[in-house]
Amino acid sequence: MLADQTQSMIDVKSMTEVKERARIAALQALDVLGAPREPALDRIVRMVRLEFGAQHAGIMVIDRDRAAFVARDNVTIKSIPRDEALCNIAIQHSEPLIIHDMLTDPRVHGHPQVARGIRSYAGVPLRTRDGYNIGSLCVFDPETLTISPSSISKMQELALLAMDCIELRRLAIQDHLTGALNRRGFMTELDREIRDLPPGASLALAVVDLDHFKQINDRFGHPAGDSVLQTIVALATAKSQRSEVIGRLGGEEFGILMPGHDELSAFTWIEDLRRTIEALRLTSFPNLTVTASFGIAESGLTAQSSSAMLAQADAALYRAKSGARNMTVLASQFV
């Protein structure tokens, strides 16, 4: 009996961990934490604060260890540790979390926000289309608030609208065929990484072009070409273990942004991907073979701008395409 209970507890813990990993993956896929502030979300937050007559309101998302505001009204902080956020409690439920008085509510007895002077709170979970709560739309105040059912209903509708804004923004920068970032989204990410690069840190950029891709479409048809493009992105995504970002720059050309990599470590990463692509065989098209050429640039070897870094990687790619193809060339080899 004890063994069965222990196993049951292990199973529940394991399932909880799996669900949490999936929730974090859903949050990361939306790229909401690193995105520029969205005016529409700021307006939603302002409407909620005015509806409740609260001092503070925001949209907070819950990452692994921190809780961060992606929109806020009359809130000065940007993020706090996850376990200090009331929104971390809100995401555990499907219904709104309403706390009229934190001093008397046993659910938040001793919570850090009490010591910070917060007396009342209302939060509605922000749920993705796949059913993951990534954060909440919330109001909070140092005084007790009158929280009516009609106000909560309006807040729930605005939470749905906020999720629509977040997910539509992602769609606007996503390539519909492969699921990678489109050129606009990728270049925005590259700009941000270069801008925020700490002193002494490294950043590599690889540009990828599939060899003789037109021949694949001509010989096997466009469905085969589409399948190849989707598979290449899937292979690169599956290989990513750090914070690599994949984008489709146009046609059969892709970019892979590699924060934390210098040229040599990027070369090792890319060469492994190149060999994987070379060995690729598609079940639906057994006679189809694919190779790719790569050019790699490192931020420390180029001017500190996305256009300059991309130009360096493109130049390296051109050398690879002009040579034997199915190879990787480093920009530093001819700088």
Side-chain angles (χ1 to χ4, degrees):
M1 178 66 74
L2 181 58
D4 290 343
Q5 291 177 341
T6 302
Q7 184 60 49
S8 178
M9 291 173 63
I10 293 173
D11 291 343
V12 169
K13 181 180 179 181
S14 177
M15 182 60 67
T16 300
E17 291 174 349
V18 168
K19 289 181 178 179
E20 176 61 9
R21 286 197 297 269
R23 191 192 69 80
I24 293 296
L27 172 62
Q28 293 176 340
L30 290 169
D31 194 30
V32 66
L33 280 169
R37 289 187 68 168
E38 173 59 57
L41 296 180
D42 287 332
R43 287 193 289 271
I44 288 171
V45 166
R46 193 172 303 113
M47 290 171 63
V48 169
R49 189 177 72 82
L50 293 174
E51 170 66 27
F52 281 84
Q55 282 199 22
H56 315 287
I59 291 174
M60 176 174 269
V61 295
I62 307 297
D63 203 355
R64 286 188 181 89
D65 301 311
R66 65 171 175 145
F69 285 106
V70 297
R72 50 204 166 105
D73 190 23
N74 199 30
V75 177
T76 57
I77 60 170
K78 294 182 179 180
S79 66
I80 57 176
R82 176 174 176 170
D83 58 4
E84 296 181 11
L86 289 163
C87 291
N88 188 45
I89 302 174
I91 67 167
Q92 309 302 321
H93 309 279
S94 58
E95 296 300 317
L97 174 65
I98 311 299
I99 302 173
H100 293 276
D101 190 342
M102 294 187 64
L103 297 179
T104 60
D105 194 315
R107 295 174 297 175
V108 290
H109 177 72
H111 196 278
Q113 294 303 324
V114 175
R116 291 175 180 165
I118 300 303
R119 187 77 177 269
S120 56
Y121 170 93
V124 174
L126 297 175
R127 182 174 295 241
T128 68
R129 298 178 191 274
D130 295 328
Y132 297 107
N133 290 346
I134 62 167
S136 74
L137 171 63
C138 63
V139 294
F140 47 103
D141 198 280
E143 303 294 336
T144 55
L145 291 174
T146 301
I147 303 175
S148 68
S150 64
S151 291
I152 291 298
S153 295
K154 292 175 184 177
M155 193 177 191
Q156 288 175 302
E157 291 297 320
L158 288 170
L160 293 174
L161 181 59
M163 275 308 306
D164 286 343
C165 289
I166 291 170
E167 292 181 324
L168 285 172
R169 177 196 170 276
R170 178 61 184 179
L171 289 175
I173 61 171
Q174 187 176 47
D175 175 56
H176 73 280
L177 176 65
T178 64
L181 292 179
N182 60 23
R183 187 181 185 91
R184 173 190 171 194
F186 186 82
M187 294 306 293
T188 299
E189 189 71 18
L190 178 56
D191 282 330
R192 187 173 70 213
E193 287 290 346
I194 291 175
R195 182 185 67 241
D196 298 339
L197 191 66
S202 55
L203 171 68
L205 168 66
V207 179
V208 189
D209 191 88
L210 301 185
D211 298 327
H212 306 297
F213 185 72
K214 184 177 183 300
Q215 295 179 17
I216 293 176
N217 281 331
D218 291 345
R219 182 180 175 189
F220 297 95
H222 286 280
D226 289 350
S227 181
V228 168
L229 296 175
Q230 292 167 334
T231 302
I232 297 303
V233 170
L235 289 174
T237 302
K239 179 174 169 51
S240 176
Q241 295 180 347
R242 298 165 71 176
S243 53
E244 293 83 7
V245 176
I246 298 99
R248 187 180 180 190
L249 302 180
E252 67 273 21
E253 186 175 350
F254 295 87
I256 302 177
L257 183 58
M258 312 177 76
H261 286 273
D262 58 18
E263 257 196 342
L264 293 180
S265 68
F267 181 83
T268 300
W269 197 99
I270 289 297
E271 272 292 285
D272 184 62
L273 176 62
R274 184 190 62 77
R275 289 189 291 267
T276 301
I277 293 173
E278 185 180 21
L280 175 66
R281 296 297 181 270
L282 299 177
T283 304
S284 302
F285 305 96
N287 297 322
L288 188 158
T289 58
V290 185
T291 62
S293 300
F294 298 80
I296 298 176
E298 183 187 340
S299 58
L301 302 174
T302 66
Q304 292 296 305
S305 73
S306 58
S307 58
M309 194 172 182
L310 183 61
Q312 290 284 354
D314 270 333
L317 173 64
Y318 178 78
R319 296 272 182 124
K321 299 289 286 187
S322 300
R325 298 180 188 260
N326 188 26
M327 62 186 299
T328 304
V329 174
L330 299 176
S332 62
Q333 292 175 324
F334 53 91
V335 171

